[in-house]
Amino acid sequence: MKYGIEVVLKYLLGVDVADRNLAVYPDDTFVVSYPRSGNTWTRFLIANLVFPSENVTFTNIERLIPDTSSQSNRALKRTPRPRIIKSHTYFDPRYRRVLYIVRDPRDLVLSYYDFQRKYRQIADSYPLADYVDDFVNGRLISAGWGTWGENVASWVYTRQNRSGFLLLRYEDMKSNTEQELKRIATFLGLETTPERLKQAIEASSPDRMREMERTQSDRWVATKKHRKDIPFVGPAISGRWQSGLAGALVSKIESTWGNLMSTLGYPVVTSEVGQTHSAH
Amino acid sequence: MIRKLVYGMDLLLGRDKPGRNLTIYEDDVFIASYSKSGNTWTRFMVANLIHPEEPVTFLNIDHVSPDPDLRTRNFLKKCARPRIMKSHHPFDARYRRVVYIVRDPRDVVLSQYHFQIKRGIIQTGHPIEEFVQRSVIGHVNEFGSWGQNVGSWLIARYNTPGFLLLRYEDLKERPEEGLAKIALLLGLKTDHEQLAKAVELSSADRMRKLENLQADKWASTKGTRKDLPFVRAAVAGGWKSGLPHEAVAQIEQAWGHIMRALGYETVTSAPRDAKPSLLDVMGLPQ
């Protein structure tokens, strides 16, 4: 009954989190990824490009590109159309236009490890080896979004090379931001100039985002209730796993998702890769 | 606002139908498939196996094996565990134990076409070419296209623990063998006699007889045309005479790579992918 009353009140007031109950419109565009894959950075890039008159910050990003899992149904209903919406969900056939960002799972796990300590979902002393084991076996807090492999494969396999789907690799976005942002702009049907692309990139740089996080983290839903000694904006680099992840842990990830990783252009370095599972 | 209040009251009393918001238990088992792939038949077999004391009919199937899109939250909470649930949803990461039934999409599309006429969604004589065109882009129901539904499950779960893939065609040919595999996933001890009895009680003939008597009382057939049956041909390969060549070509063009991976031979000259798809490297049995 307590569950009932809380749910009903939230529902009647429209403050229930949208999530699976989001009413999807055909002209919605979704920025989708597994957590810690550069989604927030991409939202900043897009918001800076789409809303040049706004100074995009952590205090208005949820209004410009709302998050399905932190914003209410009412807030999403009030977002002007066509909406651009952030999501971490696995394949959802209702999403017609999707930008999907994928990141090397070996880097992602390190970033997620920091993030879950920030959120105090795991203790600082939690062994990284156990964490990697949880990661590949679907025991993380994100299990509701599937494992990394399930999430990525369910989107890539059903939608790749079809209209209404743009696959982006975080690593390409880091190494060639302007070119990738141009692809995003084309996908969104935006006219851009090299100057505008550069401005958007500059306004979304890791340094600028770190500076904003320092001053605004108490006002952003994703950071306000969490410890401040571990930042939300991480090192923002690719290849950190090469020094940060022991060989046995690299091997654990590669033996689970090796085929999928190779397909996405992440060469595996251990010799025994999974030949039977791709997305486990 | 009135509608909102009514739904609010339903939520409060647990009378809402949870669908994708279903609270899932670790021991839940899902009988999942795209629609018109033999899901109801499989549920009958499983239910008859679990409850030999009470033959399964259209009047009790939804109690024994409920559909979270059709039953209330209260009802689902009270079901005996482990619950055997029905689902047509594409990949859902929260389902831990899944029996996934796949059927030749050419037969699925044809069956879906007849089903939608029965339900009055399209009219008798509706051009089948148009229906096929909407089918391949997933615009005929809310479960995605056949390719998205099947593909999302296979790519995420094939060959992982807790996932059992069964082909409708194999089930038709050797139902007891398929049912034994399901029993194994459910952790049931069964013998040949029990399997044979469950299969017999779920035969197409018996289901047709039950439909004749009970169609007005079953949620999925109530209010639909009675001159067209829910339990239709129950055969494999009906597409060969029922689908125009052009429609077959369209289906094979859209989903040929998944069909071949599943052992459904394509007959039109749809271009093959130059490089193997993700599904191919997973080594599905041919």
Side-chain angles (χ1 to χ4, degrees):
Chain A
M1 198 68 179
K2 185 183 162 284
Y3 163 85
I5 290 169
E6 202 181 316
V7 168
V8 171
L9 279 179
K10 282 187 170 172
Y11 170 75
L12 289 175
L13 295 172
V15 295
D16 52 323
V17 169
D19 242 339
R20 288 168 183 275
N21 296 324
L22 172 73
V24 177
Y25 302 129
D27 58 349
D28 287 338
T29 300
F30 291 87
V31 181
V32 187
S33 71
Y34 205 63
R36 308 310 288 168
S37 299
N39 200 311
T40 303
W41 177 43
T42 309
R43 282 160 87 196
F44 268 73
L45 286 168
I46 294 175
N48 275 307
L49 202 60
V50 177
F51 310 102
S53 59
E54 299 264 7
N55 175 31
V56 180
T57 68
F58 287 109
T59 62
N60 63 12
I61 189 70
E62 297 297 342
R63 171 167 63 81
L64 302 172
I65 303 186
D67 178 354
T68 51
S69 51
S70 76
Q71 299 304 301
S72 68
N73 267 315
R74 187 174 54 178
L76 276 149
K77 220 169 270 174
R78 287 180 180 173
T79 304
R81 289 172 64 179
R83 305 180 297 184
I84 302 174
I85 298 171
K86 175 225 161 163
S87 165
H88 285 316
T89 191
Y90 45 83
F91 174 64
D92 188 323
R94 300 173 308 156
Y95 294 13
R96 297 260 178 253
R97 292 164 50 77
V98 174
L99 259 135
Y100 192 83
I101 311 149
V102 67
R103 185 182 187 185
D104 190 324
R106 295 164 295 197
D107 278 338
L108 189 150
V109 73
L110 288 173
S111 174
Y112 216 159
Y113 179 68
D114 293 340
F115 178 83
Q116 288 214 264
R117 287 189 293 120
K118 173 178 176 62
Y119 269 49
R120 296 201 193 279
Q121 288 160 343
I122 53 168
D124 280 354
S125 59
Y126 198 77
L128 181 60
D130 293 359
Y131 191 78
V132 171
D133 202 58
D134 295 343
F135 179 59
V136 299
N137 287 305
R139 288 193 302 260
L140 294 191
I141 191 102
S142 58
W145 288 313
T147 63
W148 175 83
E150 288 174 343
N151 196 297
V152 172
S154 70
W155 279 111
V156 173
Y157 187 67
T158 51
R159 289 286 179 82
Q160 200 179 12
N161 302 325
R162 288 179 163 79
S163 69
F165 187 78
L166 180 66
L167 181 64
L168 298 160
R169 297 194 331 154
Y170 174 80
E171 294 74 14
D172 297 338
M173 290 180 64
K174 286 302 296 179
S175 63
N176 207 336
T177 316
E178 192 173 330
Q179 175 194 301
E180 295 303 294
L181 188 56
K182 199 160 176 238
R183 286 177 69 213
I184 295 175
T186 308
F187 182 77
L188 295 172
L190 291 175
E191 296 278 343
T192 56
T193 60
E195 288 71 43
R196 283 201 44 195
L197 292 172
K198 284 198 180 73
Q199 277 164 12
I201 293 165
E202 185 47 41
S204 315
S205 72
D207 279 347
R208 185 155 180 279
M209 285 181 69
R210 281 190 197 105
E211 181 57 28
M212 286 189 287
E213 184 187 347
R214 210 174 51 75
T215 55
Q216 301 162 353
S217 63
D218 281 329
R219 284 178 284 160
W220 187 36
V221 59
T223 47
K224 67 180 169 193
K225 285 183 187 147
H226 303 288
R227 62 196 267 193
K228 302 292 181 284
D229 59 327
I230 301 176
F232 178 88
V233 180
I237 51 172
S238 38
R240 190 177 153 205
W241 64 272
Q242 288 169 359
S243 58
L245 208 57
L249 304 184
V250 171
S251 158
K252 185 169 273 180
I253 293 173
E254 295 183 352
S255 67
T256 310
W257 295 313
N259 282 327
L260 180 59
M261 289 169 66
S262 308
T263 308
L264 294 165
Y266 300 124
V268 296
V269 295
T270 42
S271 48
E272 297 277 318
V273 306
Q275 293 302 320
T276 48
H277 314 130
S278 276
H280 173 61
Chain B
M1 191 61 201
I2 300 277
R3 209 172 40 137
K4 228 178 153 173
L5 276 171
V6 169
Y7 185 68
M9 193 49 87
D10 280 346
L11 272 178
L12 189 65
L13 299 175
R15 294 192 312 215
D16 56 305
K17 293 162 185 162
R20 277 175 75 90
N21 291 310
L22 173 71
T23 303
I24 290 171
Y25 305 130
E26 281 216 344
D27 58 349
D28 284 342
V29 176
F30 290 86
I31 299 181
S33 71
Y34 198 60
S35 75
K36 309 317 284 175
S37 299
N39 198 309
T40 303
W41 175 45
T42 309
R43 285 160 79 210
F44 262 70
M45 289 198 289
V46 172
N48 273 316
L49 188 66
I50 299 176
H51 297 283
E53 75 287 355
E54 187 191 359
V56 176
T57 70
F58 287 106
L59 304 183
N60 62 15
I61 184 65
D62 288 337
H63 288 74
V64 183
S65 173
D67 180 342
D69 288 354
L70 299 176
R71 307 302 300 198
T72 65
R73 195 153 41 80
N74 278 345
F75 179 89
L76 294 164
K77 213 184 290 175
K78 287 183 199 138
C79 286
R81 309 258 303 258
R83 302 183 298 185
I84 316 283
M85 314 279 269
K86 169 202 165 177
S87 174
H88 287 321
H89 292 284
F91 174 61
D92 189 321
R94 301 167 314 149
Y95 297 6
R96 299 315 310 170
R97 298 203 292 166
V98 177
V99 176
Y100 192 82
I101 308 149
V102 70
R103 184 183 184 186
D104 189 322
R106 294 164 293 200
D107 282 336
V108 170
V109 169
L110 186 60
S111 177
Q112 182 88 39
Y113 172 78
H114 289 294
F115 185 53
Q116 295 210 353
I117 293 175
K118 173 174 173 58
R119 293 179 62 192
I121 298 169
I122 53 175
Q123 301 306 310
T124 303
H126 184 96
I128 195 157
E129 293 79 2
E130 189 278 342
F131 188 79
V132 171
Q133 247 161 34
R134 281 191 295 124
S135 295
V136 296
I137 54 170
H139 287 186
V140 292
N141 60 33
E142 67 271 37
F143 307 119
S145 70
W146 178 87
Q148 290 173 342
N149 199 296
V150 173
S152 66
W153 275 112
L154 289 185
I155 206 71
R157 289 286 171 83
Y158 180 70
N159 219 356
T160 65
F163 185 80
L164 173 63
L165 175 68
L166 295 172
R167 300 194 327 162
Y168 172 82
E169 294 75 12
D170 296 337
L171 269 177
K172 286 299 296 180
E173 238 171 75
R174 298 178 302 278
E176 284 154 42
E177 191 182 308
L179 189 55
K181 286 183 190 164
I182 299 176
L184 199 65
L185 182 88
L186 292 170
L188 290 176
K189 278 209 184 300
T190 54
D191 57 36
H192 181 75
E193 205 176 311
Q194 290 167 311
L195 292 169
K197 181 152 183 248
V199 168
E200 178 53 37
L201 283 173
S202 314
S203 72
D205 275 348
R206 182 155 184 281
M207 285 179 71
R208 281 192 198 99
K209 284 192 188 113
L210 291 172
E211 187 188 345
N212 277 335
L213 298 170
Q214 302 167 342
D216 275 329
K217 295 179 198 129
W218 188 41
S220 302
T221 46
K222 207 166 27 183
T224 66
R225 286 172 58 168
K226 296 297 173 302
D227 56 330
L228 303 168
F230 176 85
V231 180
R232 219 174 48 90
V235 294
W239 63 272
K240 287 175 193 164
S241 56
L243 274 188
H245 180 83
E246 191 49 43
V248 173
Q250 262 184 28
I251 291 172
E252 295 184 354
Q253 167 107 36
W255 305 318
H257 55 295
I258 308 180
M259 293 172 65
R260 287 186 290 272
L262 289 164
Y264 298 126
E265 206 180 314
T266 51
V267 296
T268 55
S269 54
R272 292 179 181 229
D273 304 327
K275 62 175 193 185
S277 80
L278 200 48
L279 207 56
D280 297 325
V281 295
M282 290 167 65
L284 276 159
Q286 293 290 316

